[in-house]
Amino acid sequence: MKYMMTYDLMESARNTNEWIGATAKAMANYPLFALSMNPAIQLTAAWGEVMERSFARMVDKPDWAVRSIVGTSGQDHLVDLVKVVERPFGDLIHFSVRRRDPMKRKVLLVAPMSGHYATLLRSTLKSLLIDCEVYVTDWHNARDIPVSAGKFDVEDYTHYLVDFMRELGPDTHVIAVCQPVPLALAATAYLAAEDPDAQPRSLTLIGGPVDPDAAPTEVTDFGRRVTMGQLEHSAIQRVGFKYKGAGRLVYPGLLQLQSFISMNAERHSKAFQEQIIRVARDEASDYDAHNRFYDEYLAVMDMPAEFYLSTVERLFKNGEIAKNTFEVSGKRVDISAITRVAVMTVEGANDDISAPGQCIAALDLCTGLPDSKKASHVEPGAGHYGIFAGKSWRLNIRPLVLDFIDANSGDAPQEKAKPVAVAAVKAAS
């Protein structure tokens, strides 16, 4: 599989399906067909429109689309995207709000590198931007990174997080979502041992696989069932000549998207069937609920092969974070070195990607941290997406996270911190 031909063949199939959709839409919308009373004509046009849009989105990077926010006085404040640190595989970006004094809460939102762009956290970002100064890790599509930029694996990812935390300083509150949860924990432990003064004040871990074996899912079963040789042979490809990263070994985003969809194939199939009917009835719009979700969900990026393979081997198969044996640049990263960074875990009771138990394992690893600095929350009825971007996040989890941040800020009143710490002990026990 590690040939450019397979990568280009997959891209050609995607391009062909986009073209078929566009052709069906154009032909079925030919004015002469308006004289026909056959509903199949309208359905064909609707099918073509949905198909063209869906396959086109697979290679487009979504825009952050954060133009402005409403301030406390009711005025709109424009938002600028500022690159604070630029690196080959990812940037640290700041969403700077014009005409607003810097907020006391400084948040580093660590986005996953798991097939989707960091814009997957757009709604999370928007909800935090109102009350926080927000910085985000914006990972690049590996297909656009020249081979000359070198490799990028889990150790490099950890180094990036360490550098980003150093850049922002010790008054930072880190929120890691999904895939980067164990590596954000490792980066914090690395700083605790190597540069204690650069540690963040708090670390909130949301739905991540710290200990994948704590609660098996289809994802963890796949990791155990497939050997590394099989995985490398079947999943790794070389970027084709169309992109700047030509020749780079990657795990293609289109393959990852196929895996995502196969996990809930029936639900996705039903969603698209219903959307075709809505388009045929002229009940759909460019930014309706279906398009808002799938424009983001279908936009996938390639991952560096070294990162994907090392994630599967070291974090899932070998469980190096869970066993506290993870090493970076030849040095063991001891999680127990975290002694003053408050740690909170958030899980969804119905999470089928990172099931309850996988994330809270982080608290057991933090043996050097007092119980007053630990907290956990399991959201009833919430799935994976809901705990960081859905209704559960908006109504329940976001307020808990902000309270946790305030309780562990340097200027937080002591009398306010005590009740949260007591609740944290109860939740963690």
Side-chain angles (χ1 to χ4, degrees):
M1 291 288 285
K2 293 189 293 185
Y3 300 98
M4 292 183 182
M5 185 178 294
T6 55
Y7 187 95
D8 284 340
L9 184 62
M10 190 165 55
E11 169 60 17
S12 297
R14 183 211 62 79
N15 194 286
T16 300
N17 278 288
E18 180 185 351
W19 173 77
I20 291 173
T23 302
K25 175 185 174 183
M27 291 186 64
N29 279 321
Y30 196 74
L32 184 63
F33 289 142
L35 298 176
S36 172
M37 302 298 291
N38 190 341
I41 301 297
Q42 287 179 304
L43 284 173
T44 300
W47 174 85
E49 179 177 330
V50 173
M51 189 171 186
E52 178 192 16
R53 184 185 186 112
S54 299
F55 281 94
R57 290 302 184 271
M58 294 178 186
V59 291
D60 292 336
K61 179 179 180 179
D63 189 76
W64 280 99
V66 182
R67 304 284 182 260
S68 64
I69 63 170
V70 179
T72 54
S73 62
Q75 292 183 331
D76 278 0
H77 294 264
L78 295 178
V79 178
D80 297 320
L81 193 156
V82 180
K83 292 183 180 180
V84 180
V85 179
E86 295 186 60
R87 294 287 179 82
F89 291 89
D91 301 329
L92 175 63
I93 59 177
H94 176 213
F95 288 84
S96 177
V97 181
R98 297 185 192 178
R99 296 183 296 105
R100 187 182 78 172
D101 293 333
M103 304 297 286
K104 291 184 178 180
R105 303 185 184 105
K106 183 194 292 186
V107 170
L108 170 58
L109 186 61
V110 183
M113 182 189 280
S114 56
H116 284 111
Y117 290 93
T119 51
L120 187 69
L121 301 185
R122 184 187 297 105
S123 59
T124 317
L125 162 71
K126 287 182 176 180
S127 68
L128 291 171
L129 199 56
I130 300 171
D131 304 297
C132 308
E133 208 68 36
V134 184
Y135 298 77
V136 181
T137 58
D138 190 22
W139 306 111
H140 298 164
N141 194 330
R143 75 182 185 202
D144 300 321
I145 305 172
V147 175
S148 59
K151 70 171 185 65
F152 187 81
D153 59 15
V154 289
E155 293 189 23
D156 298 308
Y157 189 107
T158 305
H159 277 302
Y160 268 50
L161 295 187
V162 167
D163 292 343
F164 291 162
M165 291 181 192
R166 280 187 174 134
E167 177 68 27
L168 295 180
D171 58 339
T172 306
H173 298 273
V174 178
I175 301 177
V177 178
C178 189
Q179 167 268 322
V181 161
L183 297 179
L185 181 66
T188 304
Y190 182 94
L191 280 175
E194 301 293 327
D195 192 0
D197 293 337
Q199 296 178 88
R201 292 196 182 277
S202 72
L203 179 62
T204 301
L205 308 175
I206 301 178
V210 175
D211 183 2
D213 292 331
T217 63
E218 187 175 334
V219 176
T220 59
D221 289 343
F222 173 80
R224 283 193 293 267
R225 186 171 64 248
V226 180
T227 68
M228 293 306 300
Q230 291 173 327
L231 195 63
E232 185 174 359
H233 176 74
S234 62
I236 303 304
Q237 299 178 4
R238 287 189 188 274
V239 177
F241 291 105
K242 182 179 177 181
Y243 301 104
K244 293 180 181 179
R248 175 177 290 280
L249 289 172
V250 298
Y251 175 50
L254 292 178
L255 282 183
Q256 181 74 327
L257 179 62
Q258 182 182 14
S259 299
F260 287 149
I261 291 178
S262 65
M263 291 179 65
N264 295 285
E266 185 176 347
R267 186 175 67 183
H268 291 300
S269 177
K270 182 180 179 182
F272 277 96
Q273 290 173 14
E274 292 175 349
Q275 181 68 0
I276 291 171
I277 298 298
R278 284 193 292 267
V279 172
R281 292 175 176 173
D282 202 24
E283 297 174 354
S285 66
D286 198 35
Y287 296 103
D288 59 26
H290 177 93
N291 286 330
R292 285 200 310 272
F293 176 78
Y294 279 102
D295 282 357
E296 190 69 53
Y297 189 80
L298 296 175
V300 288
M301 56 182 281
D302 298 345
M303 285 181 273
E306 313 87 37
F307 177 77
Y308 175 70
L309 294 174
S310 61
T311 296
V312 174
E313 182 175 23
R314 299 184 61 178
L315 304 190
F316 283 84
K317 285 186 173 293
N318 298 342
E320 292 184 19
I321 297 290
K323 297 174 182 176
N324 201 17
T325 59
F326 186 65
E327 292 185 357
V328 173
S329 300
K331 293 183 179 180
R332 179 183 168 231
V333 179
D334 187 1
I335 307 299
S336 65
I338 300 175
T339 58
R340 66 183 196 220
V341 180
V343 179
M344 177 181 184
T345 64
V346 177
E347 298 175 315
N350 296 341
D351 192 338
D352 59 350
I353 295 178
S354 182
Q358 291 187 15
C359 192
I360 198 174
L363 299 183
D364 292 332
L365 291 172
C366 296
T367 56
L369 195 64
D371 286 344
S372 60
K373 288 282 189 178
K374 298 179 181 180
S376 68
H377 175 73
V378 178
E379 181 67 17
H384 187 70
Y385 189 79
I387 57 177
F388 64 87
K391 180 179 178 182
S392 296
W393 164 262
R394 296 192 302 270
L395 298 183
N396 301 326
I397 298 172
R398 176 183 172 274
L400 289 176
V401 171
L402 292 181
D403 285 346
F404 182 72
I405 288 174
D406 290 341
N408 293 283
S409 295
D411 55 353
Q414 190 65 25
E415 60 272 18
K416 182 179 179 179
K418 286 181 179 178
V420 178
V422 171
V425 175
K426 292 180 179 179
S429 61

